[in-house]
Amino acid sequence: MKFSLYTLLLFSFFGYTQHSISAIILDSAENSPLEFVGVYNSKDHTMTNADGRFQFSSSLDSVTIYRPGYETIKASFSHLKDTIFLEKSILELDEVVVTNQKSILQEVYELLNINYSNEPFKEKFMLRAISKYNGEMHRIEDITGKLSIKNMFTDDTIKESKKDFIVELTNMRKLGLKTDDKNAYLVFPSIKSLKKDLTDIKITESKYDITEHKYNNGENTKVVFNKTSDSTDIKGYYILENSNLAVKEFKIEMFFKKSKFNNNKWLFYKTNYVNRHVFFKKDSKTDLYYLNSGSIKFSVITTDEEKSFEGKHDLNVILTTSENFGNFKVTKNANATKDLFKLDYPYNPNYWDVQNQLLLTDEMTAFIEKVQDPENNFKITSNLKN
């Protein structure tokens, strides 16, 4: 049987359908936006931003919506609405206070090199850094790239060379004010320090009150820890996979109530809050877990010797990864230990106009329009004109 070229093209067109959805995901109990919700299938992936919003497109008509601690949704595109509610998993057993016995966390730490890669690996990443000054947006930066990493978990006892952590930038957009109204500059973390901090998931158990909660028909355990002193309050939790004691989620918040000011010339500064929140995911090919996404938030208070003013800098850095344990080349073109906002790479509007891995929030969009308005005479750092 012969087919005309038109018929073949028509058949090809109808045989390939692109499904798409834009929606917001909310906590069903609190009706509040959920950040870091994974939206994916076997071919494509994205995640929600701070507004709980996402845009997802795929040639496959299947969507999985997942965040640890919540019920997973699996559906076709047509069955999803523009507002999606996730329900928290129900804790099924009473809490158990951990005493002097060998704790579950000791076992978790002993299994890190089994559940996670202890060999060199590669991955792709997207990074977003947002800073605010006295509650107002101050800088934004989005970066995509590739990493070659020797060790997933590092500490001060592991010596690394420059070849053990290689960064290749592939896209960047950044825009922000050079300094605050007192001519002070908030230093951003480097890609290497960010990755190290996000994988720092150990606590000194003897210093914390620890409780355990089993849920999901015994498949998961939530380990809650906290410590209170005159100077510091610390609280957080782990979500564990009970079958292998792998960490699926880790969160720690630190409130510094009596931290002392440091000073650099005339400027006095201190950190009063730190929040680390990370999510790990199991790779279907290697059966090893990897850092899928995470964020670091901290607040820094600034003043002068006379305390004539008080400024508050807030920084939130978000990292997501993909193609973990990939077999691709990583060519160094950036300094892994340099301040994120001082890295340089050309702006490519063709990429940023269509990417949907992490959408701009409404606040970020308004900030970009405000700073780029020619009537506003801001001193800015940006690559958007490249």
Side-chain angles (χ1 to χ4, degrees), residues 46-63:
T46 187
M47 71 168 40
T48 56
N49 64 14
D51 292 339
R53 297 190 179 278
F54 73 92
Q55 180 180 332
F56 185 58
S57 300
S58 180
S59 60
L60 302 180
D61 188 19
S62 63
V63 184

Side-chain angles (χ1 to χ4, degrees), residues 147-183:
L147 297 177
S148 176
I149 304 172
K150 182 179 180 180
N151 300 296
M152 179 172 292
F153 299 103
T154 62
D155 55 43
D156 294 336
T157 64
I158 299 177
K159 294 183 178 180
E160 290 188 310
S161 70
K162 293 182 179 180
K163 295 181 179 180
D164 293 337
F165 195 101
I166 300 174
V167 179
E168 179 183 348
L169 303 183
T170 54
N171 287 285
M172 177 189 289
R173 63 179 171 193
K174 67 175 181 179
L175 175 69
L177 307 185
K178 289 186 176 182
T179 59
D180 63 27
D181 59 4
K182 302 299 180 182
N183 203 34

Side-chain angles (χ1 to χ4, degrees), residues 105 109 201-206 208 210 225 238 250 252:
L105 291 185
Y109 301 155
I201 59 173
K202 292 184 180 180
I203 62 170
T204 306
E205 302 154 77
S206 60
Y208 293 87
I210 299 177
F225 59 88
Y238 295 83
F250 172 74
I252 183 169

Side-chain angles (χ1 to χ4, degrees), residues 46-272:
T46 187
M47 71 168 40
T48 56
N49 64 14
D51 292 339
R53 297 190 179 278
F54 73 92
Q55 180 180 332
F56 185 58
S57 300
S58 180
S59 60
L60 302 180
D61 188 19
S62 63
V63 184
T64 297
I65 298 175
Y66 170 77
R67 175 171 165 169
Y70 288 83
E71 300 294 336
T72 300
I73 294 177
K74 294 185 178 182
S76 63
F77 277 79
S78 60
H79 284 84
L80 294 175
K81 299 180 179 180
D82 56 7
T83 301
I84 301 168
F85 295 92
L86 287 190
E87 296 184 5
K88 290 182 179 178
S89 301
I90 300 175
L91 298 179
E92 297 169 343
L93 301 178
D94 292 335
E95 63 185 31
V96 179
V97 178
V98 177
T99 57
N100 292 327
Q101 63 184 355
K102 183 177 181 180
S103 79
I104 191 171
L105 291 185
Q106 288 177 288
E107 296 181 67
V108 167
Y109 301 155
E110 291 171 2
L111 291 170
L112 286 179
N113 285 334
I114 295 176
N115 289 323
Y116 303 82
S117 175
N118 58 3
E119 300 289 338
F121 66 96
K122 298 173 183 176
E123 64 186 15
K124 295 184 179 180
F125 72 93
M126 180 171 184
L127 182 154
R128 170 167 290 173
I130 305 167
S131 70
K132 294 184 178 182
Y133 178 64
N134 289 337
E136 297 290 331
M137 189 77 72
H138 199 248
R139 293 186 224 147
I140 63 173
E141 182 175 24
D142 285 341
I143 300 175
T144 68
K146 296 183 282 186
L147 297 177
S148 176
I149 304 172
K150 182 179 180 180
N151 300 296
M152 179 172 292
F153 299 103
T154 62
D155 55 43
D156 294 336
T157 64
I158 299 177
K159 294 183 178 180
E160 290 188 310
S161 70
K162 293 182 179 180
K163 295 181 179 180
D164 293 337
F165 195 101
I166 300 174
V167 179
E168 179 183 348
L169 303 183
T170 54
N171 287 285
M172 177 189 289
R173 63 179 171 193
K174 67 175 181 179
L175 175 69
L177 307 185
K178 289 186 176 182
T179 59
D180 63 27
D181 59 4
K182 302 299 180 182
N183 203 34
Y185 175 83
L186 175 68
V187 177
F188 278 25
S190 67
I191 294 177
K192 186 174 182 178
S193 66
L194 173 66
K195 189 76 174 180
K196 179 181 177 181
D197 288 343
L198 287 173
T199 53
D200 181 11
I201 59 173
K202 292 184 180 180
I203 62 170
T204 306
E205 302 154 77
S206 60
K207 297 182 179 180
Y208 293 87
D209 295 323
I210 299 177
T211 58
E212 299 176 24
H213 312 258
K214 296 187 184 297
Y215 67 100
N216 237 2
N217 294 321
E219 293 182 6
N220 301 108
T221 297
K222 183 173 185 178
V223 180
V224 180
F225 59 88
N226 63 80
K227 178 180 70 172
T228 299
S229 68
D230 292 339
S231 61
T232 310
D233 288 343
I234 303 177
K235 63 180 182 179
Y237 63 84
Y238 295 83
I239 300 292
L240 306 177
E241 190 76 62
N242 287 346
S243 62
N244 52 17
L245 292 184
V247 179
K248 298 174 65 178
E249 180 182 355
F250 172 74
K251 183 176 182 179
I252 183 169
E253 289 185 278
M254 293 174 278
F255 304 84
F256 303 103
K257 296 179 288 188
K258 294 184 179 180
S259 57
K260 296 182 179 179
F261 280 99
N262 298 299
N263 73 291
N264 182 3
K265 298 181 180 178
W266 65 271
L267 183 70
F268 286 70
Y269 61 92
K270 66 177 181 179
T271 301
N272 69 339

